[in-house]
Amino acid sequence: AGRADAAISVWEKSLELSPQDDFLVLRIGLAHLDMGNKSQALGYFEKYLALKEHSMSAEERRQIEDYIRKCKQE
């Protein structure tokens, strides 16, 4: 968990410098989801969808929507 927390911290600082970096947004969302931080992950996945709305494939959209569903499950 310590490494994941450190990675998230570095990625979030990088995201401050480049807020439109969809790769970072996705990585942070996935890291939070892996750690069980569903509410934090949800925000990043929703931001990713907004950033990539017009440039993602149908398969990629399905995958992100699956992550969002996992975040909303109890």
Side-chain angles (χ1 to χ4, degrees):
R3 285 185 164 175
D5 285 334
I8 288 171
S9 178
V10 169
W11 290 334
E12 285 177 337
K13 287 177 185 170
S14 297
L15 194 58
E16 288 175 15
L17 299 173
S18 184
Q20 302 301 312
D21 189 328
D22 56 89
F23 179 80
L24 285 173
V25 171
L26 181 59
R27 291 291 133 224
I28 296 168
L30 290 171
H32 276 298
L33 185 59
D34 286 345
M35 293 175 57
N37 302 330
K38 292 180 179 182
S39 61
Q40 291 95 331
L42 178 61
Y44 284 101
F45 294 136
E46 289 173 341
K47 180 175 180 166
Y48 184 80
L49 276 181
L51 287 171
K52 299 275 292 191
E53 182 178 3
H54 301 294
S55 63
M56 66 179 12
S57 68
E59 178 57 34
E60 184 178 14
R61 180 174 294 281
R62 278 191 294 276
Q63 182 63 59
I64 299 302
E65 288 171 349
D66 283 346
Y67 293 145
I68 289 171
R69 276 190 288 283
K70 286 180 185 177
C71 290
K72 291 181 177 180
Q73 290 175 346
E74 292 294 320

Coordinates of all heavy atoms in Angstrom, one line a residue:
A1 N 0.8 -1.2 0.0 CA 0.0 0.0 0.0 C 0.9 1.3 0.0 O 0.5 2.3 -0.6 CB -0.9 0.0 1.2
G2 N 2.0 1.2 0.7 CA 2.9 2.4 0.7 C 3.4 2.8 -0.6 O 3.5 4.0 -1.0
R3 N 3.7 1.8 -1.5 CA 4.2 2.1 -2.8 C 3.1 2.7 -3.7 O 3.3 3.6 -4.4 CB 4.8 0.9 -3.5 CG 6.1 0.5 -3.0 CD 6.6 -0.7 -3.8 NE 8.0 -0.8 -3.6 CZ 8.8 -1.8 -4.0 NH1 8.2 -2.7 -4.8 NH2 10.1 -1.8 -3.8
A4 N 1.9 2.1 -3.5 CA 0.8 2.7 -4.3 C 0.4 4.1 -3.9 O 0.2 5.0 -4.7 CB -0.5 1.7 -4.1
D5 N 0.5 4.3 -2.6 CA 0.3 5.7 -2.1 C 1.3 6.7 -2.6 O 1.0 7.8 -3.0 CB 0.3 5.7 -0.5 CG -1.0 5.1 0.1 OD1 -2.0 5.1 -0.6 OD2 -0.9 4.7 1.2
A6 N 2.5 6.2 -2.7 CA 3.6 7.1 -3.2 C 3.4 7.3 -4.7 O 3.6 8.5 -5.1 CB 5.0 6.4 -2.9
A7 N 3.1 6.3 -5.4 CA 2.8 6.5 -6.8 C 1.7 7.4 -7.1 O 1.8 8.3 -7.9 CB 2.5 5.1 -7.5
I8 N 0.6 7.3 -6.4 CA -0.6 8.2 -6.5 C -0.1 9.6 -6.2 O -0.5 10.5 -7.0 CB -1.7 7.7 -5.6 CG1 -2.3 6.4 -6.2 CG2 -2.8 8.8 -5.5 CD1 -3.3 5.8 -5.2
S9 N 0.6 9.8 -5.2 CA 1.1 11.1 -4.8 C 1.9 11.8 -5.9 O 1.7 12.9 -6.3 CB 1.9 11.1 -3.5 OG 2.4 12.3 -3.2
V10 N 2.8 11.0 -6.5 CA 3.6 11.5 -7.6 C 2.8 11.8 -8.8 O 2.9 12.9 -9.5 CB 4.8 10.5 -8.0 CG1 5.5 10.9 -9.3 CG2 5.8 10.5 -6.8
W11 N 1.9 10.9 -9.2 CA 1.0 11.1 -10.3 C 0.1 12.3 -10.1 O -0.2 13.0 -11.1 CB 0.2 9.9 -10.6 CG 1.0 8.7 -11.1 CD1 2.1 8.7 -11.8 CD2 0.6 7.3 -10.9 NE1 2.5 7.4 -12.1 CE2 1.6 6.6 -11.6 CE3 -0.4 6.6 -10.4 CZ2 1.6 5.2 -11.6 CZ3 -0.5 5.2 -10.4 CH2 0.6 4.5 -11.0
E12 N -0.4 12.5 -8.9 CA -1.3 13.6 -8.7 C -0.6 15.0 -8.8 O -1.1 15.9 -9.3 CB -2.0 13.5 -7.3 CG -3.1 12.5 -7.3 CD -3.7 12.3 -5.9 OE1 -3.1 12.6 -4.9 OE2 -4.9 11.8 -5.9
K13 N 0.7 15.0 -8.4 CA 1.5 16.2 -8.5 C 1.8 16.5 -10.0 O 1.7 17.6 -10.5 CB 2.8 16.1 -7.8 CG 2.7 16.2 -6.3 CD 3.9 16.0 -5.5 CE 3.7 16.0 -4.0 NZ 4.8 15.6 -3.3
S14 N 2.0 15.4 -10.8 CA 2.2 15.5 -12.2 C 0.9 16.0 -12.9 O 1.0 16.8 -13.8 CB 2.6 14.2 -12.8 OG 3.9 13.8 -12.3
L15 N -0.2 15.5 -12.4 CA -1.5 15.9 -13.0 C -1.8 17.4 -12.7 O -2.4 18.0 -13.6 CB -2.6 15.0 -12.4 CG -3.9 15.1 -13.1 CD1 -3.8 14.6 -14.5 CD2 -4.9 14.1 -12.3
E16 N -1.3 17.9 -11.6 CA -1.4 19.4 -11.4 C -0.8 20.2 -12.5 O -1.3 21.3 -12.9 CB -0.9 19.8 -10.0 CG -1.7 19.3 -8.9 CD -1.0 19.5 -7.5 OE1 0.0 20.4 -7.5 OE2 -1.4 18.9 -6.5
L17 N 0.3 19.7 -13.0 CA 1.1 20.4 -14.1 C 0.5 20.1 -15.4 O 0.6 20.9 -16.3 CB 2.5 19.9 -14.1 CG 3.3 20.2 -12.8 CD1 4.7 19.5 -12.9 CD2 3.4 21.7 -12.6
S18 N -0.2 19.0 -15.6 CA -0.8 18.6 -16.9 C -2.2 18.0 -16.6 O -2.4 16.8 -16.8 CB 0.1 17.6 -17.5 OG -0.3 17.3 -18.8
P19 N -3.2 18.9 -16.3 CA -4.5 18.4 -15.9 C -5.3 17.6 -17.0 O -6.2 16.9 -16.7 CB -5.2 19.6 -15.4 CG -4.5 20.8 -16.0 CD -3.1 20.3 -16.2
Q20 N -4.8 17.8 -18.2 CA -5.5 17.1 -19.3 C -4.9 15.7 -19.7 O -5.2 15.1 -20.7 CB -5.6 18.0 -20.6 CG -6.3 19.3 -20.3 CD -7.7 19.2 -19.9 OE1 -8.5 18.4 -20.4 NE2 -8.1 19.9 -18.8
D21 N -3.9 15.3 -18.9 CA -3.2 14.1 -19.2 C -4.1 12.9 -18.8 O -4.1 12.4 -17.7 CB -1.9 14.0 -18.4 CG -1.0 12.9 -18.8 OD1 -1.5 11.8 -19.2 OD2 0.2 13.1 -18.7
D22 N -4.7 12.3 -19.9 CA -5.7 11.2 -19.6 C -5.0 10.0 -19.1 O -5.5 9.2 -18.3 CB -6.5 10.9 -20.9 CG -5.6 10.6 -22.1 OD1 -5.3 9.5 -22.3 OD2 -5.3 11.6 -22.8
F23 N -3.7 9.8 -19.5 CA -3.0 8.6 -19.0 C -2.8 8.6 -17.5 O -3.1 7.6 -16.8 CB -1.6 8.5 -19.7 CG -0.8 7.3 -19.2 CD1 -1.0 6.1 -19.7 CD2 0.2 7.5 -18.3 CE1 -0.3 5.0 -19.3 CE2 1.0 6.4 -17.9 CZ 0.7 5.2 -18.4
L24 N -2.4 9.8 -17.0 CA -2.3 9.9 -15.5 C -3.6 9.8 -14.8 O -3.7 9.1 -13.8 CB -1.7 11.3 -15.2 CG -0.2 11.5 -15.5 CD1 0.1 13.0 -15.2 CD2 0.6 10.6 -14.6
V25 N -4.7 10.3 -15.4 CA -6.0 10.2 -14.8 C -6.4 8.8 -14.7 O -6.9 8.3 -13.6 CB -7.0 11.0 -15.6 CG1 -8.5 10.8 -15.1 CG2 -6.7 12.5 -15.6
L26 N -6.2 8.0 -15.7 CA -6.5 6.6 -15.7 C -5.7 5.8 -14.7 O -6.2 5.0 -13.9 CB -6.4 6.0 -17.1 CG -6.7 4.5 -17.2 CD1 -8.2 4.2 -16.8 CD2 -6.5 4.0 -18.7
R27 N -4.4 6.1 -14.7 CA -3.5 5.4 -13.8 C -3.9 5.6 -12.3 O -3.9 4.7 -11.5 CB -2.0 5.8 -14.0 CG -1.4 5.4 -15.2 CD -1.1 3.9 -15.3 NE -1.6 3.4 -16.5 CZ -2.3 2.4 -16.8 NH1 -2.6 1.6 -15.8 NH2 -2.7 2.0 -18.0
I28 N -4.2 6.9 -12.0 CA -4.6 7.2 -10.6 C -5.9 6.5 -10.3 O -6.0 5.9 -9.2 CB -4.7 8.7 -10.4 CG1 -3.3 9.4 -10.6 CG2 -5.3 9.0 -9.0 CD1 -3.4 10.9 -10.7
G29 N -6.8 6.5 -11.2 CA -8.1 5.8 -11.0 C -7.9 4.3 -10.7 O -8.5 3.8 -9.8
L30 N -7.1 3.7 -11.5 CA -6.8 2.3 -11.4 C -6.1 2.0 -10.1 O -6.4 1.0 -9.4 CB -6.0 1.7 -12.6 CG -6.7 1.7 -13.9 CD1 -5.8 1.4 -15.0 CD2 -7.9 0.7 -13.8
A31 N -5.2 2.8 -9.7 CA -4.5 2.6 -8.4 C -5.4 2.7 -7.2 O -5.4 1.9 -6.3 CB -3.3 3.6 -8.3
H32 N -6.3 3.7 -7.3 CA -7.3 3.8 -6.2 C -8.2 2.6 -6.2 O -8.5 2.1 -5.1 CB -8.1 5.1 -6.3 CG -7.4 6.3 -5.8 ND1 -7.1 6.5 -4.4 CD2 -7.0 7.5 -6.4 CE1 -6.5 7.7 -4.2 NE2 -6.5 8.3 -5.4
L33 N -8.6 2.2 -7.3 CA -9.5 1.0 -7.4 C -8.8 -0.2 -6.8 O -9.4 -1.0 -6.0 CB -10.0 0.8 -8.8 CG -11.1 -0.3 -9.0 CD1 -12.3 0.0 -8.2 CD2 -11.4 -0.5 -10.5
D34 N -7.6 -0.4 -7.2 CA -6.8 -1.6 -6.7 C -6.7 -1.5 -5.2 O -6.6 -2.6 -4.5 CB -5.4 -1.6 -7.3 CG -5.5 -2.1 -8.7 OD1 -6.5 -2.6 -9.2 OD2 -4.5 -1.9 -9.4
M35 N -6.6 -0.3 -4.6 CA -6.5 -0.2 -3.2 C -7.8 -0.2 -2.4 O -7.8 -0.1 -1.2 CB -5.7 1.2 -2.9 CG -4.3 1.2 -3.3 SD -3.5 2.8 -3.1 CE -3.7 3.1 -1.4
G36 N -8.9 -0.3 -3.2 CA -10.2 -0.3 -2.6 C -10.8 1.1 -2.3 O -11.8 1.2 -1.6
N37 N -10.2 2.1 -2.8 CA -10.6 3.5 -2.6 C -11.6 3.8 -3.8 O -11.3 4.6 -4.7 CB -9.5 4.5 -2.6 CG -8.5 4.2 -1.5 OD1 -8.8 3.7 -0.5 ND2 -7.2 4.5 -1.8
K38 N -12.8 3.2 -3.7 CA -13.7 3.3 -4.8 C -14.2 4.7 -5.1 O -14.4 5.1 -6.2 CB -14.9 2.4 -4.6 CG -14.6 0.9 -4.6 CD -15.8 0.1 -4.4 CE -15.4 -1.4 -4.5 NZ -16.7 -2.2 -4.3
S39 N -14.5 5.5 -4.0 CA -15.0 6.9 -4.2 C -14.0 7.7 -4.9 O -14.3 8.5 -5.8 CB -15.5 7.5 -2.9 OG -14.4 7.6 -2.0
Q40 N -12.7 7.6 -4.6 CA -11.6 8.4 -5.2 C -11.5 7.9 -6.7 O -11.3 8.7 -7.6 CB -10.3 8.2 -4.5 CG -10.3 8.9 -3.2 CD -10.6 8.0 -2.0 OE1 -11.3 7.0 -2.2 NE2 -10.1 8.3 -0.8
A41 N -11.5 6.6 -6.9 CA -11.3 6.0 -8.2 C -12.4 6.5 -9.1 O -12.2 6.9 -10.3 CB -11.3 4.5 -8.1
L42 N -13.7 6.5 -8.6 CA -14.8 6.9 -9.4 C -14.6 8.3 -10.0 O -14.8 8.5 -11.2 CB -16.1 6.9 -8.6 CG -17.4 7.4 -9.2 CD1 -17.7 6.5 -10.4 CD2 -18.5 7.4 -8.2
G43 N -14.1 9.3 -9.2 CA -13.9 10.6 -9.7 C -12.9 10.6 -10.9 O -13.1 11.4 -11.9
Y44 N -11.9 9.8 -10.8 CA -10.9 9.8 -11.8 C -11.4 9.1 -13.1 O -11.1 9.6 -14.2 CB -9.6 9.1 -11.4 CG -8.8 10.0 -10.5 CD1 -8.8 9.9 -9.1 CD2 -8.0 11.1 -11.0 CE1 -8.1 10.7 -8.2 CE2 -7.3 11.9 -10.2 CZ -7.3 11.8 -8.8 OH -6.6 12.6 -8.0
F45 N -12.2 8.1 -12.9 CA -12.8 7.4 -14.1 C -13.8 8.3 -14.8 O -13.8 8.4 -16.1 CB -13.4 6.1 -13.8 CG -12.4 5.0 -13.3 CD1 -12.7 4.3 -12.2 CD2 -11.2 4.9 -14.0 CE1 -11.8 3.3 -11.8 CE2 -10.3 3.9 -13.5 CZ -10.6 3.1 -12.4
E46 N -14.5 9.1 -14.1 CA -15.5 10.0 -14.7 C -14.7 11.1 -15.4 O -15.1 11.6 -16.5 CB -16.4 10.6 -13.6 CG -17.4 9.5 -13.1 CD -18.3 9.9 -12.0 OE1 -17.9 10.9 -11.2 OE2 -19.3 9.3 -11.8
K47 N -13.6 11.6 -14.8 CA -12.8 12.6 -15.4 C -12.2 12.1 -16.7 O -12.2 12.8 -17.8 CB -11.7 13.1 -14.5 CG -10.8 14.2 -15.1 CD -9.8 14.7 -14.2 CE -9.0 15.8 -14.9 NZ -8.2 16.6 -14.0
Y48 N -11.8 10.8 -16.7 CA -11.2 10.2 -17.9 C -12.2 10.2 -19.0 O -11.9 10.5 -20.2 CB -10.7 8.8 -17.5 CG -10.0 8.1 -18.7 CD1 -8.7 8.4 -19.0 CD2 -10.7 7.2 -19.5 CE1 -8.0 7.8 -20.0 CE2 -10.0 6.6 -20.5 CZ -8.7 6.8 -20.8 OH -8.1 6.2 -21.8
L49 N -13.4 9.8 -18.7 CA -14.5 9.7 -19.7 C -14.7 11.1 -20.3 O -14.9 11.3 -21.5 CB -15.8 9.2 -19.1 CG -16.0 7.7 -19.0 CD1 -17.4 7.4 -18.4 CD2 -15.9 7.1 -20.4
A50 N -14.7 12.1 -19.4 CA -14.9 13.5 -19.9 C -13.8 13.9 -20.8 O -14.0 14.6 -21.9 CB -15.1 14.5 -18.8
L51 N -12.5 13.6 -20.5 CA -11.4 14.0 -21.3 C -11.3 13.3 -22.6 O -10.9 13.9 -23.6 CB -10.1 13.7 -20.5 CG -9.7 14.5 -19.3 CD1 -8.5 14.0 -18.6 CD2 -9.4 16.0 -19.8
K52 N -11.7 12.0 -22.6 CA -11.6 11.2 -23.8 C -12.9 11.0 -24.6 O -13.0 10.2 -25.5 CB -11.1 9.8 -23.4 CG -9.7 9.8 -22.8 CD -8.6 9.8 -23.8 CE -8.6 8.5 -24.6 NZ -7.5 8.2 -25.4
E53 N -13.9 11.7 -24.2 CA -15.3 11.5 -24.6 C -15.4 11.3 -26.1 O -16.1 10.4 -26.6 CB -16.2 12.7 -24.3 CG -17.6 12.6 -24.7 CD -18.4 13.8 -24.2 OE1 -17.9 14.7 -23.7 OE2 -19.6 13.8 -24.5
H54 N -14.7 12.1 -26.9 CA -14.9 12.0 -28.4 C -13.7 11.2 -29.1 O -13.8 11.0 -30.3 CB -14.9 13.4 -29.0 CG -16.1 14.2 -28.4 ND1 -17.4 13.8 -28.7 CD2 -16.1 15.2 -27.6 CE1 -18.2 14.7 -28.0 NE2 -17.4 15.6 -27.4
S55 N -12.8 10.7 -28.3 CA -11.7 10.0 -28.9 C -11.4 8.6 -28.4 O -10.3 8.0 -28.7 CB -10.4 10.9 -28.7 OG -10.1 11.0 -27.4
M56 N -12.4 8.0 -27.8 CA -12.1 6.6 -27.3 C -12.9 5.6 -28.1 O -14.0 6.0 -28.6 CB -12.5 6.5 -25.8 CG -13.9 6.7 -25.4 SD -14.4 6.6 -23.7 CE -12.9 6.5 -22.7
S57 N -12.4 4.4 -28.2 CA -13.1 3.4 -28.9 C -14.3 2.9 -28.0 O -14.3 3.1 -26.8 CB -12.1 2.2 -29.1 OG -11.8 1.6 -27.9
A58 N -15.2 2.1 -28.7 CA -16.3 1.6 -27.9 C -15.8 0.6 -26.9 O -16.3 0.6 -25.8 CB -17.2 0.9 -28.9
E59 N -14.8 -0.2 -27.2 CA -14.2 -1.1 -26.2 C -13.6 -0.4 -25.0 O -13.8 -0.8 -23.9 CB -13.2 -2.0 -26.9 CG -12.5 -3.0 -26.0 CD -13.5 -3.9 -25.3 OE1 -14.5 -4.3 -25.9 OE2 -13.2 -4.3 -24.1
E60 N -12.9 0.7 -25.3 CA -12.3 1.4 -24.2 C -13.4 2.0 -23.3 O -13.4 2.0 -22.1 CB -11.4 2.5 -24.7 CG -10.7 3.3 -23.6 CD -9.8 4.4 -24.2 OE1 -9.8 4.7 -25.4 OE2 -9.0 4.9 -23.4
R61 N -14.5 2.6 -23.9 CA -15.6 3.1 -23.2 C -16.3 2.0 -22.3 O -16.6 2.3 -21.1 CB -16.7 3.7 -24.1 CG -17.9 4.3 -23.4 CD -18.8 5.0 -24.3 NE -18.2 6.2 -24.9 CZ -18.1 7.4 -24.3 NH1 -18.5 7.5 -23.0 NH2 -17.5 8.4 -24.9
R62 N -16.4 0.8 -22.8 CA -17.0 -0.3 -22.1 C -16.2 -0.6 -20.8 O -16.7 -0.8 -19.7 CB -17.2 -1.5 -22.9 CG -18.5 -1.5 -23.8 CD -18.8 -2.8 -24.4 NE -17.8 -3.2 -25.4 CZ -17.8 -2.8 -26.6 NH1 -18.7 -2.1 -27.1 NH2 -16.8 -3.2 -27.5
Q63 N -14.8 -0.6 -21.1 CA -13.9 -0.9 -20.0 C -14.0 0.1 -18.8 O -14.1 -0.2 -17.7 CB -12.5 -1.0 -20.5 CG -11.5 -1.4 -19.4 CD -11.7 -2.8 -18.8 OE1 -11.7 -3.7 -19.6 NE2 -12.0 -2.9 -17.5
I64 N -14.0 1.4 -19.2 CA -14.1 2.5 -18.2 C -15.5 2.4 -17.5 O -15.5 2.6 -16.3 CB -13.9 3.8 -18.9 CG1 -12.5 3.9 -19.5 CG2 -14.1 4.9 -17.8 CD1 -11.3 3.6 -18.5
E65 N -16.5 2.1 -18.2 CA -17.8 2.0 -17.6 C -17.9 0.8 -16.7 O -18.6 0.9 -15.6 CB -18.9 1.9 -18.7 CG -19.1 3.3 -19.4 CD -20.0 3.2 -20.6 OE1 -20.4 2.1 -21.1 OE2 -20.4 4.3 -21.1
D66 N -17.2 -0.2 -17.0 CA -17.1 -1.4 -16.1 C -16.4 -1.0 -14.8 O -16.8 -1.3 -13.7 CB -16.3 -2.5 -16.7 CG -17.1 -3.3 -17.7 OD1 -18.4 -3.2 -17.7 OD2 -16.5 -4.1 -18.4
Y67 N -15.3 -0.2 -14.9 CA -14.6 0.3 -13.7 C -15.5 1.2 -12.9 O -15.6 1.1 -11.6 CB -13.4 1.1 -14.1 CG -12.2 0.4 -14.7 CD1 -11.5 0.9 -15.7 CD2 -11.9 -0.9 -14.3 CE1 -10.4 0.3 -16.3 CE2 -10.9 -1.6 -14.9 CZ -10.1 -1.0 -15.9 OH -9.1 -1.7 -16.5
I68 N -16.3 2.0 -13.5 CA -17.3 2.9 -12.8 C -18.3 2.0 -12.1 O -18.6 2.3 -10.9 CB -17.9 3.9 -13.8 CG1 -16.9 4.9 -14.2 CG2 -19.1 4.6 -13.2 CD1 -17.3 5.8 -15.3
R69 N -18.8 1.0 -12.7 CA -19.7 0.1 -12.0 C -19.1 -0.5 -10.8 O -19.8 -0.6 -9.7 CB -20.3 -1.0 -13.0 CG -21.4 -0.5 -13.9 CD -22.1 -1.7 -14.6 NE -21.3 -2.2 -15.7 CZ -21.1 -1.6 -16.9 NH1 -21.7 -0.5 -17.1 NH2 -20.4 -2.1 -17.8
K70 N -17.9 -1.0 -10.9 CA -17.2 -1.6 -9.8 C -17.1 -0.5 -8.6 O -17.2 -0.9 -7.5 CB -15.8 -2.0 -10.2 CG -15.8 -3.3 -11.0 CD -14.4 -3.7 -11.4 CE -14.4 -4.9 -12.3 NZ -13.0 -5.2 -12.7
C71 N -16.8 0.7 -9.0 CA -16.7 1.7 -7.9 C -18.0 2.0 -7.2 O -18.0 2.3 -6.1 CB -16.3 3.1 -8.6 SG -14.6 3.0 -9.2
K72 N -19.1 1.8 -7.9 CA -20.4 2.1 -7.4 C -21.0 0.9 -6.6 O -22.0 1.0 -5.9 CB -21.4 2.5 -8.5 CG -21.0 3.9 -9.0 CD -22.0 4.3 -10.1 CE -21.7 5.7 -10.6 NZ -22.6 6.1 -11.7
Q73 N -20.4 -0.3 -6.7 CA -20.9 -1.5 -6.0 C -20.5 -1.4 -4.5 O -19.5 -0.9 -4.2 CB -20.3 -2.8 -6.6 CG -20.7 -3.1 -8.0 CD -20.0 -4.3 -8.5 OE1 -19.0 -4.7 -8.0 NE2 -20.5 -4.8 -9.6
E74 N -21.4 -1.9 -3.7 CA -21.2 -1.9 -2.3 C -20.2 -3.0 -1.9 O -20.1 -4.0 -2.4 CB -22.5 -2.1 -1.5 CG -23.4 -1.0 -1.6 CD -22.9 0.3 -1.0 OE1 -22.3 0.2 0.1 OE2 -23.1 1.4 -1.5

